[in-house]
Amino acid sequence: MRVLKFGGSSLANYECLSKVASLVKSQLKSETLLVLSAPGGMTDSLVELAELAQNSQLFEEQWAALVERSHGLKHQVEQAGFEILNWPDFSQLQQKLSGVALLGLCPDAVKAYVISFGERISVALMQALLVEFKPTYLDATQCISSQGGYLDAVASVSASKGGFKQQMSQAPSKVYIMPGFTASNDKGELTTLGRNGSDYSAAIAAASVEAEVCQIWTDVDGVYSADPRFITKAVKIDNLSYKEAMELSYFGAKVLHPKTILPCAKASVPCEIKNTHNPDSSGSLISDVAGDDKTVKALSSLEDLAMLTVSGPGMKGKVGMASRVFDALAKDDVSIVLITQSSCEFSISFCVHEEDLQLSLIHI
Ligand code: ADP
Ligand code: ASP
Ligand code: MG
């Protein structure tokens, strides 16, 4: 089994969708599981819709834009002679948004439903384009088990194996297709795996079915020595170890969701990064083969962080200061990204995500 994940940048419009369908056809060597993101930018639109509704602001214009874009894609696929059978229920989405607007509240469970809608659109369109292979739809909420909230859930490979097995045994197929980003909790409710989380879905799927490879198809040739969007001289890295890839993704290399590599590493599934728009490029291979030398391979950066410093002469030699500071933040689930302490012990500095800044300031 091979797992192929296509990101939003590979599914942004009808031309991209057709390109992906042709690519999948040309790649069909063995059993294949496709994991799809929402069409590029659609999740942002859904997040915006949820926020407008929650603030009881009018969202007709944004709703109309979403419907126009989605139905435009549907129409183009149908015009090309394909029948769409699995189109998600827009009226249900609209009802949920209206409910949110009425209450002025958007519970995380509802938000997860709203923001994962785009993945289902991609899957419906791709199922139609690949009709000659009769792709079997895998319900991600039946396959991927997760814990820890509705919006940034953590998936479990051991708990997901049974789900994949059960779903796949219902209709054995050469091609399976599953929406990314989506999972469920132990009550069977829909959860999402954090923004950019379809990479993570693919990794969980690959580890669960013990795939021979997990391919992440995106809009760059592979993992670069820096973000090629900003650094034009960045070069592609052909081979990375799991550890190197993990460090890069945790420190901001958007090409991979940070939680992607661990499931692949634990299951020894090699992970390839490939370019949908340049499939002949060799891509980058992430595996347990260590890099060829010990030089720095790449640089990455994180945005929207805030640095806080706790300092004062009273801190010198005082045992337990650091633990008091971090305990206070841990109680409110504030995640600390980086910590430094001056050697003279007068100050401790640490970085948090900017969205946690106000909460952090209350505690220190
Ligand atoms: P997708 O829609 O396929 O999930 P993303 O936008 O999430 O694509 O990720 C691909 C983007 O990641 C690239 O367009 C690139 O700008 C960015 N990126 C950041 N750091 C790196 C890096 N070190 N190597 C390659 N791409 C990177
Ligand atoms: N569509 C989701 C997002 O934009 C997940 C993904 O693309 O990986 O965050
Ligand atoms: Mg991505």
Side-chain angles (χ1 to χ4, degrees):
M1 173 80 71
R2 290 146 51 85
V3 173
L4 273 54
K5 177 260 169 179
F6 291 90
S9 57
S10 303
L11 302 163
N13 53 38
Y14 175 70
E15 286 66 40
C16 289
L17 285 157
S18 309
K19 200 186 274 184
V20 168
S22 313
L23 216 148
V24 169
K25 287 177 200 173
S26 69
Q27 295 271 323
L28 267 187
K29 298 172 199 147
S30 56
E31 266 188 308
T32 301
L33 165 51
L34 299 177
V35 177
L36 302 186
S37 291
M42 196 172 276
T43 312
D44 288 339
S45 311
L46 290 161
V47 170
E48 193 194 350
L49 270 168
E51 279 166 4
L52 287 171
Q54 180 172 3
N55 297 325
S56 299
Q57 286 172 267
L58 293 177
F59 57 83
E60 273 74 14
E61 209 180 297
Q62 284 77 4
W63 174 258
L66 176 82
V67 171
E68 192 184 323
R69 181 173 179 207
S70 314
H71 284 78
L73 289 171
K74 180 173 182 269
H75 186 64
Q76 280 175 293
V77 170
E78 285 169 342
Q79 285 282 85
F82 300 100
E83 190 187 359
I84 296 177
L85 298 169
N86 205 6
W87 194 240
D89 188 348
F90 274 69
S91 60
Q92 195 178 50
L93 176 64
Q94 196 176 21
Q95 276 168 15
K96 296 227 187 224
L97 287 168
S98 304
V100 168
L102 207 64
L103 292 170
L105 269 179
C106 189
D108 285 352
V110 178
K111 189 164 185 188
Y113 170 88
V114 172
I115 67 175
S116 62
F117 203 81
E119 271 61 19
R120 294 167 55 204
I121 295 176
S122 294
V123 165
L125 297 167
M126 193 54 67
Q127 255 186 302
L129 291 170
L130 291 174
V131 65
E132 62 189 280
F133 301 106
K134 298 193 182 65
T136 298
Y137 172 74
L138 299 185
D139 180 347
T141 66
Q142 300 289 321
C143 292
I144 301 190
S145 300
S146 70
Q147 287 184 322
Y150 293 95
L151 298 178
D152 207 356
V154 179
S156 151
V157 171
S158 56
S160 304
K161 283 188 177 204
F164 276 102
K165 207 169 176 180
Q166 201 265 342
Q167 285 270 302
M168 289 173 149
S169 65
Q170 282 186 358
S173 178
K174 187 152 183 182
V175 184
Y176 298 93
I177 187 162
M178 182 181 85
F181 187 42
T182 317
S184 66
N185 60 19
D186 51 9
K187 292 188 211 142
E189 297 166 310
L190 187 149
T191 61
T192 50
L193 299 173
R195 290 303 309 272
N196 212 13
S198 297
D199 300 337
Y200 183 32
S201 300
I204 295 291
S208 300
V209 303
E210 293 167 21
E212 65 199 74
V213 68
C214 176
Q215 290 185 335
I216 307 285
W217 288 84
T218 182
D219 62 351
V220 283
D221 279 354
V223 178
Y224 277 69
S225 52
D227 187 340
R229 217 175 327 195
F230 304 117
I231 310 291
T232 46
K233 284 188 185 156
V235 290
K236 178 167 80 70
I237 308 169
D238 295 333
N239 288 285
L240 289 99
S241 65
Y242 290 122
K243 190 165 173 279
E244 288 167 336
M246 218 168 340
E247 273 179 20
L248 271 176
S249 60
Y250 270 100
F251 281 96
K254 194 192 169 209
V255 67
L256 277 175
H257 182 280
K259 292 183 197 139
T260 307
I261 296 301
L262 195 60
C264 288
K266 280 190 175 163
S268 292
V269 177
C271 182
E272 284 174 16
I273 314 298
K274 301 273 292 174
N275 190 345
T276 306
H277 311 290
N278 185 18
D280 294 334
S281 163
S282 56
S284 294
L285 174 66
I286 302 165
S287 67
D288 51 12
V289 180
D292 41 10
D293 55 38
K294 294 214 178 304
T295 53
V296 173
K297 283 204 175 152
L299 297 173
S300 59
S301 62
L302 281 170
E303 285 175 17
D304 304 326
L305 294 181
M307 182 180 259
L308 293 107
T309 300
V310 182
S311 67
M315 285 171 67
K316 171 100 182 124
K318 204 144 198 176
V319 177
M321 273 309 289
S323 106
R324 278 174 60 196
V325 171
F326 299 132
D327 272 357
L329 296 170
K331 284 200 182 94
D332 259 322
D333 256 354
V334 174
S335 144
I336 297 162
V337 183
L338 184 93
I339 303 169
T340 66
Q341 183 177 20
S342 64
S343 57
C344 59
E345 292 182 50
F346 278 127
S347 67
I348 300 168
S349 298
F350 55 92
C351 291
V352 297
H353 295 284
E354 211 160 71
E355 64 201 27
D356 290 332
L357 176 60
Q358 290 314 320
L359 200 56
S360 310
L361 286 172
I362 295 172
H363 286 294
I364 61 169

